Amino acid sequence: MQEIPTVEQLAAKGEKPEVVFWVGCAGSYDPRAQKVSKAFVKILQNCGVSFAILGNDEQCTGDPARRAGNEFVFQMTAQMNIQTLDNYEIKNLVTACPHCFNTLKNEYPELGGNYNVVHHTQFIEKLIEEGRLKIAQAEQKKKVTYHDSCYLGRVNGVYEVPRNILQQMNIELKEMKRCASKGLCCGAGGSQMFKEDEPGDKRINIERVEEAIETGAETIAVNCPFCLTMMSDGVKAKEQQDSIMVLDLAEMIVENQKWES
Amino acid sequence: MIQSIVFSIVTIIAFYFAFRQFMKVRRNILLGKEYEITGDKGKRWQNVALIAFGQKKMFKRVIPAILHLCIYAAFLFTTVELIEILIDGIFGHHRFFADKIGILYPTMIGIIEILSFFAFFATLAFLWRRNLLKIPRFHKDEMTGWPKLDGNLILIGELILLIGITCMNGTDVLLQDLDPTHFKDTGTLPISSWLGPALFGGLSEAGLHTVERFGWWLHVLAVFGFLNYLPKSKHLHIMLAFPNTYFAPLESRGKMENMPAIMNEVKSMMDESAAMEETTEELPSFGAKDVMDLSWKNVLDAYTCTECGRCTDNCPANITGKKLSPRKIMMDIRDRAEEIGSTLDKNKEMTKESYDDGKSLFDFITKEEIYACTSCQACVEACPVMINPMEPILALRRYDILMDSSGPSDWLPMFNSIENSGSAWTIPGDRHNWAKSE
């Protein structure tokens, strides 16, 4: 991986990137999600996209605080982010986290922050359309099931983009019983990621992974760092980690490419 | 003559009491806060046409959708027939329109008969589904007692109505031959022309007259009964589905309601030079504790809910055995609004603003329920009549967190971490360390 410039470094040279990669807390700190960040960076670099990250200038968008009910914390972190983005005159954002995507896109405008925000699957689709990215075929045709994240799917209506990308990868797409607008949550949204479950019969991620296992898929494709954690935990709990991989779409693309770096 | 007088009195009483009840429902809905209606009116009417009138969202499940469509269509057309019943009843006519609108009349009655025929079997199928088939959404904890009875009463009422129509039309066909001056020719009717003779062929003329009047009055009284029962019942959706769909927000689902008071406070904290908003004496209240803190659209949602349970059926928390059921949230809001309404009726000096009975929505909805929500919007997606159960859940959370400083203790480190380190987790080191290490 080549070095990734920060917006600050570029600004010092008087430069501005085409797009800012909004990494998010999970993408920055969670070891598993960091791999997704790196995979997406590989795609950006190999496609010659001029981009930068914010580094320490980036803060949590505030989604978990807002969904938990803590509007004060949300507003504080959101205002800081808007200040940062506006100071650097940033207009275009891409993020691999549907929660960041939703908050930046749908909630910041009312707070005074207006940006063009896309999810990384949308960005990848655009790269393909523009001919900048050619999806390499997997050597072996694998069975893949796609798990819709709530915040990309039901909340923002993006169901087809990730499926279109998957279809270009020489895979056999096996849909789960509950998919697209009927897709079942992984259990982490609404700030559930940060607390224990209420008493019940089972965890939501177990229910979802059982459904994924039923499809006979070898890979569960996801588009969200929280889904990634929940589905991976579920697969481990079902002791299927040797036969089922949980991967972000960006990772699946990179896996097949014959890129040198 | 006597019949006309009796009918007029019964009609006036039925409409008077129904009107009073509907005004109370309206009052209870308006207990809610102001709700801003924004966006394109054309789009709103389109939603009414497709989702309320066209039942688009019902067709995600085909079998119940078809059964429901039979009853719904029969209901719509029978309502047209009511105009004639009112004219006949008040002025002592019999089938006022029969010789006035030509072929349209038998066509109309024919359509009603065919739809009623299907509705009869659909109603039986619904009773069977609701009571004998083990469909989980009809057997959740909140569906015992009154809600269960309510569901069955509506279906039984439907059957009574259909029996009334059958008696009325079936005997009419036979009486047209015996007394053609009073019983006007309706031509051949698709159901009554064969079902009438089959059921009532053996009766004397007097017997036929009695059954015809019995059927007519049964029909009328069932309709008036319905009208007065609706405001108390989950069945109110037949009316409120239309305004509820119209008023449903058009903007992105992903946007939680902004809280300008907090936004401005934070803005002034961050920017000393920004003009401070005049601080009011009164401390603002955040989130929702009671019906008065919800928007009137939230309360309209609650009154529109027909307790079908599609929301609960799709709720990941409920599916995995948690206590949260979005349907129960809506039922609780309506129950609480009814409770407030009846307290206001008894205490005339009380107003919506000064209301205090020592209780709140938290006496109906537990924290265990509201904190199990993953905000996945499956309930919102599932509702055929555009109810949003998630919004009140998150509004209750806001009250609990902001006003009572309560809520899951697990969340405190996350709140602190965002506030102090700008990240949802506190992890030492730079945010971009991942980008350096290979």
Side-chain angles (χ1 to χ4, degrees), chain B residues 185-241:
Chain B
D185 183 19
T186 57
T188 309
L189 295 177
I191 308 289
S192 298
S193 291
W194 56 268
L195 190 64
L199 287 174
F200 309 113
L203 292 180
S204 66
E205 193 176 339
L208 288 173
H209 272 288
T210 312
V211 175
E212 194 277 333
R213 283 294 88 190
F214 168 78
W216 191 86
W217 275 100
L218 191 66
H219 183 164
V220 168
L221 292 175
V223 169
F224 289 168
F226 241 60
L227 198 62
N228 279 277
Y229 182 69
L230 278 183
K232 297 256 170 284
S233 163
K234 75 184 193 73
H235 210 57
L236 192 53
H237 82 293
I238 59 167
M239 289 177 176
L240 296 188

Side-chain angles (χ1 to χ4, degrees), chain A residues 1 38 56 58 60 66-67 71 75 102 106-107 110 151 154-155 189-192 195-196 201-202, chain B residues 253-256 258 320 322 371 373-376 397-398 410-411 414 422 424 430-431 434 438:
Chain A
M1 200 167 69
K38 287 180 189 172
N56 284 334
E58 181 190 287
C60 173
R66 191 171 228 200
R67 263 76 200 163
E71 188 75 2
Q75 292 283 350
N102 180 67
N106 297 320
E107 300 194 322
E110 212 169 342
Y151 275 77
R154 228 171 354 248
V155 178
S191 220
Q192 298 295 335
K195 65 180 252 306
E196 289 298 318
D201 305 332
K202 64 157 91 142
Chain B
R253 265 182 197 173
K255 194 169 93 50
M256 262 178 85
N258 194 28
T320 53
K322 277 89 180 173
Y371 286 116
C373 173
T374 68
S375 76
C376 77
R397 274 191 190 177
R398 277 179 166 171
D410 287 349
W411 277 346
M414 182 261 290
D430 286 331
R431 199 172 169 95
W434 66 272
E438 178 60 323

Side-chain angles (χ1 to χ4, degrees), chain A residues 1 4 21 23-29 34 37-38 41 53 55-56 58-60 64-73 75-77 79-80 83 102 106-107 110-111 150-151 154-156 178 181-182 184-185 187 189-192 194-204 207 226, chain B residues 60 252-259 262-263 265-267 269-271 286 313-317 319-323 367-378 381 390 394 397-398 401-402 408 410-411 414-415 418-419 422-425 427-432 434-438:
Chain A
M1 200 167 69
I4 305 162
F21 172 28
V23 187
C25 300
S28 300
Y29 292 117
Q34 283 175 348
S37 303
K38 287 180 189 172
V41 162
I53 57 171
N56 284 334
E58 181 190 287
Q59 293 203 0
C60 173
R66 191 171 228 200
R67 263 76 200 163
N70 199 330
E71 188 75 2
F72 268 107
V73 171
Q75 292 283 350
M76 271 193 278
T77 188
Q79 292 297 343
M80 294 282 279
Q83 244 177 29
N102 180 67
N106 297 320
E107 300 194 322
E110 212 169 342
L111 274 56
C150 303
Y151 275 77
R154 228 171 354 248
V155 178
N156 283 290
R178 292 175 279 214
S181 69
K182 288 183 186 165
L184 185 75
C185 177
S191 220
Q192 298 295 335
F194 301 92
K195 65 180 252 306
E196 289 298 318
D197 291 355
E198 276 64 29
D201 305 332
K202 64 157 91 142
R203 301 202 68 197
I204 296 169
E207 171 85 12
F226 294 145
Chain B
K60 284 185 189 168
S252 164
R253 265 182 197 173
K255 194 169 93 50
M256 262 178 85
E257 191 201 354
N258 194 28
M259 301 179 83
I262 297 180
M263 180 177 76
E265 169 93 20
V266 169
K267 274 186 178 169
M269 266 163 49
M270 286 173 59
D271 185 4
F286 300 124
D313 219 17
N314 284 283
C315 172
I319 288 169
T320 53
K322 277 89 180 173
K323 238 180 112 185
K367 295 184 182 180
E368 185 181 331
E369 291 164 71
I370 59 171
Y371 286 116
C373 173
T374 68
S375 76
C376 77
Q377 306 252 14
E381 175 72 31
M390 202 185 94
L394 296 181
R397 274 191 190 177
R398 277 179 166 171
I401 296 274
L402 295 171
D410 287 349
W411 277 346
M414 182 261 290
F415 293 153
I418 295 177
E419 208 176 332
S423 160
W425 296 277
I427 289 163
D430 286 331
R431 199 172 169 95
H432 52 273
W434 66 272
K436 293 176 189 157
S437 57
E438 178 60 323

